[in-house]
């Protein structure tokens, strides 16, 4: 989940990536689930061993994007 969140956050921060931010987040979660990856516990264990140093805040931003898109809120 950490990598998925980091990639979605990175793409959503780019000006050309903002229009698809919500749909991208939902698509990434769907693909993540279809491939059998587990969800995130937000305990931070993944950040302790992440070789790229991706912060836990990336998951928080990603979860907000998913929630907004699920509720139909297109504002960023």
């Amino acid at each position: 989940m950490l990598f998925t969140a980091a990639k979605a956050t990175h793409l959503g921060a780019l000006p050309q990536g903002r229009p698809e931010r919500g749909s991208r987040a939902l698509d990434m979660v769907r693909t993540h689930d279809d491939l059998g990856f587990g969800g995130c516990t937000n305990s931070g264990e993944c950040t302790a061993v992440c070789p790229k140093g991706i912060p836990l805040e990336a998951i928080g931003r990603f979860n907000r994007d998913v929630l907004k898109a699920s509720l139909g809120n297109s504002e960023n």
Side-chain angles (χ1 to χ4, degrees), residues 5-72:
K7 192 64 179 170
T9 299
H10 163 76
L11 293 171
L14 299 171
Q16 63 271 34
R18 289 188 187 133
E20 296 89 22
R21 187 174 181 170
S23 61
R24 181 184 309 107
L26 292 175
D27 289 344
M28 290 180 91
V29 165
R30 193 174 303 113
T31 301
H32 188 266
D33 291 345
D34 289 347
L35 293 174
F37 289 98
C40 179
T41 63
N42 286 327
S43 65
E45 293 175 11
C46 54
T47 60
V49 297
C50 180
K52 296 294 184 182
I54 300 170
L56 191 59
E57 289 81 17
I59 292 175
R61 282 191 296 271
F62 182 61
N63 286 340
R64 282 191 297 275
D65 288 347
V66 170
L67 181 61
K68 286 180 182 180
S70 296
L71 296 174

